[in-house]
């Protein structure tokens, strides 16, 4: 188990496996390093570095929940790179991880050699945010992983042709068994942080997207995503005609990244970086 200490005294978990292109994998809002288990076998020739943000997974919870913000998470990322002695990395960012990648491009572009975004862009569809707020910070009603997997199969309506075994994998990855049933794998106070930030005017994220100019860029979108609209993806492509783009059929937010369309896009992107 690998850990490092942040400048404000939190112990954060990370994994560091493989050799080759340093690839930092940043997960979604409530997710963990486990998100990248599906794609890992297809990223040969990469040194996969995965981080559990503060308050998530195996990382420490922050007693100051107000620190669950993108700027603090970007600072944690830079401190991880310093801890590992890495000058530059490529970033594969899923959802919130992609927002962090854009934040790094704005403030620490010299630490990046490329960015791949998984179902995220500089405009976020309110429908997707509403769905996230419906479960954020709350333990599932399911009493066991089988019930949770069945609930995921019912509620993840943008997904088609997903075997039940995958929903079971998801339930096992993202819910812990306790004496009272299943619990989430992150600090429930993350909801307070998101609600607090949502009360403020949303910043214009297009300058953050444009900050990635000159960096090899890829974007993967779920065909039925409720967070990244086709219109936003089209504008991203207009601004960056060189961006590798893929739409994953039968997927909502977020693609698992082991779909053929996602694998092809990521392999093309990583090859361009080597």
């Amino acid at each position: 188990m690998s850990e490092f200490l942040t400048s404000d005294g939190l112990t954060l978990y990370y994994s560091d496996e493989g050799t080759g292109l340093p690839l930092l994998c940043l997960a979604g809002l409530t997710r963990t390093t486990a998100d990248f288990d599906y794609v890992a076998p297809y990223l040969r020739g990469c040194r996969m570095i995965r981080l559990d943000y503060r308050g998530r997974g195996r990382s420490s919870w922050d007693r100051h929940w107000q620190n669950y913000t993108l700027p603090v998470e970007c600072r944690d990322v830079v401190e991880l790179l310093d801890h590992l002695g890495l000058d530059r990395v490529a970033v594969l960012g899923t959802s919130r991880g992609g927002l962090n990648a854009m934040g790094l491009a704005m403030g620490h572009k010299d630490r990046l050699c490329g960015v791949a975004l998984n179902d995220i862009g500089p405009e976020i569809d309110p429908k997707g945010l509403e769905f996230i707020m419906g479960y954020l910070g709350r333990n599932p009603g399911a009493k066991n992983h089988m019930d949770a997997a069945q609930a995921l199969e019912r509620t993840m309506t943008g997904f088609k042709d997903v075997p039940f075994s995958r929903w079971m994998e998801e339930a096992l990855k993202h819910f812990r068994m306790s004496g009272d049933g299943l619990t989430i794998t992150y600090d429930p106070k993350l909801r307070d942080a998101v609600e607090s930030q949502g009360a403020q005017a949303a910043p214009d994220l297009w300058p953050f997207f444009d900050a990635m100019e000159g960096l090899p860029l890829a974007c993967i979108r779920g065909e039925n995503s409720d967070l990244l609209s086709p219109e936003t993806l089209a504008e991203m492509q207009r601004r960056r005609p060189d961006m590798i783009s893929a739409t994953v059929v039968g997927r909502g937010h977020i693609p698992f990244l082991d779909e053929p369309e996602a694998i092809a896009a990521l392999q093309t992107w990583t090859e361009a970086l080597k």
Side-chain angles (χ1 to χ4, degrees), residues 44-56:
R44 299 182 183 90
C46 292
R47 175 185 172 183
M48 285 187 67
I49 302 159
R50 317 186 212 180
L51 173 68
D52 276 347
Y53 303 125
R54 57 179 60 211
R56 281 79 135 194

Side-chain angles (χ1 to χ4, degrees), residues 174-240:
H174 301 297
F175 302 114
R176 298 186 181 116
M177 181 61 75
S178 72
D180 298 322
L182 299 183
T183 61
I184 52 180
T185 58
Y186 60 93
D187 185 350
K189 287 291 186 179
L190 183 60
R191 181 182 185 90
D192 297 317
V194 172
E195 287 181 332
S196 175
Q197 294 151 36
Q200 306 167 24
D204 179 6
L205 295 180
W206 283 107
F208 290 79
F209 177 81
D210 293 336
M212 296 186 291
E213 181 181 2
L215 296 174
L217 182 62
C219 184
I220 297 160
R221 178 181 180 270
E223 177 189 32
N224 304 315
S225 175
D226 59 1
L227 208 72
L228 175 60
S229 71
E231 294 77 15
T232 297
L233 180 61
E235 176 59 15
M236 294 163 68
Q237 193 76 72
R238 187 192 70 78
R239 295 186 185 216
R240 286 292 306 270

Side-chain angles (χ1 to χ4, degrees), residues 16-257:
D16 185 356
E17 300 173 321
T19 59
L21 172 72
L23 178 60
L24 177 64
C25 301
L26 299 177
L29 174 66
T30 65
R31 317 279 282 201
T32 70
T33 58
D35 255 6
F36 300 96
D37 288 352
Y38 306 127
V39 72
Y42 302 99
L43 295 176
R44 299 182 183 90
C46 292
R47 175 185 172 183
M48 285 187 67
I49 302 159
R50 317 186 212 180
L51 173 68
D52 276 347
Y53 303 125
R54 57 179 60 211
R56 281 79 135 194
R58 284 174 275 189
S59 289
S60 300
W61 291 7
D62 194 328
R63 62 191 182 92
H64 302 293
W65 56 262
Q66 296 87 349
N67 287 333
Y68 295 139
T69 64
L70 294 168
V72 173
E73 288 166 12
C74 284
R75 186 186 72 198
D76 290 341
V77 166
V78 172
E79 291 180 1
L80 172 61
L81 300 186
D82 292 342
H83 171 76
L84 294 173
L86 289 169
D87 293 329
R88 300 171 74 217
V89 294
V91 174
L92 169 55
T94 288
S95 194
R96 186 177 179 96
L99 296 179
N100 274 315
M102 287 188 272
L104 291 166
M106 179 66 84
H108 302 276
K109 190 173 183 177
D110 60 317
R111 308 302 294 266
L112 303 179
C113 61
V115 173
L117 305 171
N118 181 20
D119 211 59
I120 192 67
E123 290 187 16
I124 300 174
D125 194 317
K127 295 193 299 292
L129 288 177
E130 183 179 354
F131 181 79
I132 290 169
M133 293 308 296
Y135 66 79
L136 181 60
R138 297 167 177 162
N139 290 326
K143 296 301 181 184
N144 55 57
H145 286 106
M146 177 64 74
D147 289 348
Q150 292 171 343
L152 288 171
E153 188 176 42
R154 290 193 307 271
T155 58
M156 303 298 281
T157 54
F159 290 77
K160 299 177 182 177
D161 301 321
V162 177
F164 184 74
S165 59
R166 175 54 56 90
W167 295 124
M168 180 59 78
E169 286 180 280
E170 286 287 280
L172 290 168
K173 287 179 189 298
H174 301 297
F175 302 114
R176 298 186 181 116
M177 181 61 75
S178 72
D180 298 322
L182 299 183
T183 61
I184 52 180
T185 58
Y186 60 93
D187 185 350
K189 287 291 186 179
L190 183 60
R191 181 182 185 90
D192 297 317
V194 172
E195 287 181 332
S196 175
Q197 294 151 36
Q200 306 167 24
D204 179 6
L205 295 180
W206 283 107
F208 290 79
F209 177 81
D210 293 336
M212 296 186 291
E213 181 181 2
L215 296 174
L217 182 62
C219 184
I220 297 160
R221 178 181 180 270
E223 177 189 32
N224 304 315
S225 175
D226 59 1
L227 208 72
L228 175 60
S229 71
E231 294 77 15
T232 297
L233 180 61
E235 176 59 15
M236 294 163 68
Q237 193 76 72
R238 187 192 70 78
R239 295 186 185 216
R240 286 292 306 270
D242 62 327
M243 181 176 75
I244 299 165
S245 178
T247 296
V248 183
V249 176
R251 295 292 182 267
H253 183 77
I254 50 175
F256 300 112
L257 294 182

